[in-house]
Amino acid sequence: MEQVSPFDQYLTAELETERCKTIPKLATPSANSAESLAMWSVMALLPSRLERVQLASSLHVNSFPEGNWSLCTSLLHDSEQDVVGNAINSMTRAKTRGFAHRAFHYLRSPERPQRILYCLARYCEEADDRRIAEQLAPTLASDLSDAYLARSFNALYKHGIKSDAALRVAMELVESHIDATNMDRKAAVAAITYLFFAGSKEQIKKLRDIQERVTIPELRRLLNWGFQEISQICQNQDITLWTFSGVVFWERNLNTSNSNYTGYGCFSSDELLAGLRQLEKSAKLPTNPLLTEKVLSLGDPSCSNWLAEHHKFG
């Protein structure tokens, strides 16, 4: 019996659902040029919304320029949010950052397309793209979806980004979760984690004032954990005095694989840099590439410049 090609199956299928089932068969990562040609052939036939959604989710995007890059770029400008979202998800799976800037304009859109924003936040978190992560903070607002806010706070935390706008929204979310009736809002967990990372001394003090009024057990446990972590970088082990040690902060985070950088926002750049220099004098700095990875992950300009200009580590 003669074997029918996936593209012929697509052409002869009468029902939309049947055509959608054949689209993944056209995606053959072992022969990417052929896949790109087949996908463009489908696009030329003016597929329906459902078919374009399936097309975007079936893309195999490589980390180097190739045919599917132009196809993904075209889908990023589709009028349907689900199509654009699936195209961004294809970029996320490949962890490619070569053309992600073409999705920047969605972050500035006054319409705030929820599905696309969520996919961009997921992309920032999983594909390790700091450029787009820096664009997330101005888009945050407490009335956006919990899923988007949670992804955004996680992405900002992962890339070491301190943002006053994001911190304001995070504090609003925590204050709104004092009452147990709001327990379904999962963004509060990510907001608290971000506040303990990027929050200033004043914001951490405000969290402490809120702590006793929070009735949700999960959030109370998270707050207790955060204050326990904060107490570890206090010189006098008393967080009510708010005297933090940059040396202890770096010691706790440079020499472990599970760094959480809690309390980062409580330090100025000068205090962080002084802590690094003190550790250098006492020969307690780790060797490269670990030192470079840890310092650059926070994105502090003074510490990054010190590292780049250092005669030994730069």
Side-chain angles (χ1 to χ4, degrees):
M1 183 177 179
E2 184 179 354
Q3 187 173 2
V4 180
S5 71
F7 188 62
D8 288 338
Q9 292 177 18
Y10 176 83
L11 291 175
T12 57
E14 295 184 4
L15 299 178
E16 181 184 52
T17 53
E18 293 177 352
R19 293 194 296 274
C20 287
K21 289 179 181 178
T22 64
I23 289 176
K25 299 177 183 178
L26 298 172
T28 53
S30 59
N32 203 268
S33 59
E35 175 198 350
S36 181
L37 179 60
M39 293 295 201
W40 273 114
S41 299
V42 172
M43 285 288 286
L45 296 172
L46 301 177
S48 66
R49 171 194 169 278
L50 189 61
E51 290 169 77
R52 299 198 310 279
V53 169
Q54 183 65 65
L55 184 70
S57 66
S58 302
L59 279 179
H60 297 282
V61 183
N62 287 323
S63 57
F64 52 85
E66 41 84 34
N68 276 350
W69 276 37
S70 58
L71 183 55
C72 192
T73 297
S74 176
L75 292 170
L76 284 173
H77 291 87
D78 197 276
S79 59
E80 293 287 342
Q81 286 196 43
D82 287 340
V83 176
V84 177
N86 280 358
I88 295 171
N89 289 340
S90 292
M91 290 161 36
T92 303
R93 288 195 301 271
K95 291 182 169 52
T96 179
R97 302 192 294 272
F99 59 103
H101 62 280
R102 290 165 187 160
F104 266 9
H105 63 282
Y106 289 113
L107 292 169
R108 306 187 190 99
S109 171
E111 298 175 357
R112 298 196 297 187
Q114 296 288 293
R115 159 76 169 156
I116 297 174
L117 289 179
Y118 171 79
C119 292
L120 281 172
R122 176 173 176 253
Y123 165 81
C124 294
E125 184 182 0
E126 297 182 14
D128 202 26
D129 193 330
R130 184 185 176 90
R131 298 171 306 159
I132 292 188
E134 290 173 339
Q135 307 292 320
L136 288 176
T139 72
L140 300 183
S142 56
D143 61 342
L144 293 176
S145 71
D146 294 341
Y148 174 62
L149 291 171
R151 283 283 188 181
S152 296
F153 286 129
N154 289 339
L156 294 173
Y157 178 25
K158 178 178 181 179
H159 291 285
I161 298 171
K162 289 192 290 186
S163 163
D164 291 339
L167 287 167
R168 281 195 298 272
V169 175
M171 188 61 73
E172 288 175 10
L173 281 171
V174 176
E175 290 175 332
S176 72
H177 283 70
I178 294 174
D179 192 320
T181 58
N182 291 323
M183 187 175 173
D184 59 321
R185 299 200 57 173
K186 57 188 176 184
V189 173
I192 290 173
T193 305
Y194 182 67
L195 280 165
F196 276 120
F197 162 71
S200 65
K201 292 179 183 179
E202 290 71 25
Q203 287 167 325
I204 300 298
K205 285 182 180 180
K206 193 171 183 180
L207 274 183
R208 190 167 181 81
D209 295 337
I210 291 174
Q211 182 183 21
E212 294 304 319
R213 293 182 287 132
V214 173
T215 58
I216 303 173
E218 289 82 356
L219 298 187
R220 286 185 63 86
R221 284 194 293 269
L222 183 58
L223 287 166
N224 290 336
W225 166 85
F227 285 113
Q228 184 178 8
E229 289 291 306
I230 288 288
S231 70
Q232 299 300 312
I233 60 174
C234 286
Q235 289 178 319
N236 46 26
Q237 297 300 305
D238 185 354
I239 62 175
T240 61
L241 299 177
W242 306 104
T243 305
F244 297 112
S245 169
V247 173
V248 177
F249 172 82
W250 285 117
E251 283 181 332
R252 283 178 54 79
N253 291 289
L254 289 179
N255 299 301
T256 177
S257 58
N258 298 316
S259 306
N260 60 40
Y261 301 108
T262 300
Y264 171 56
C266 297
F267 296 95
S268 66
S269 290
D270 291 341
E271 289 171 331
L272 290 171
L273 184 55
L276 282 175
R277 285 175 169 161
Q278 185 62 40
L279 287 177
E280 182 186 18
K281 287 181 181 179
S282 56
K284 292 183 178 180
L285 287 177
T287 58
N288 270 333
L290 180 61
L291 176 63
T292 299
E293 176 189 343
K294 296 286 188 177
V295 172
L296 293 184
S297 66
L298 284 178
D300 182 82
S302 297
C303 294
S304 298
N305 290 338
W306 171 82
L307 188 68
E309 297 169 0
H310 198 283
H311 69 280
K312 181 179 178 181
F313 305 116

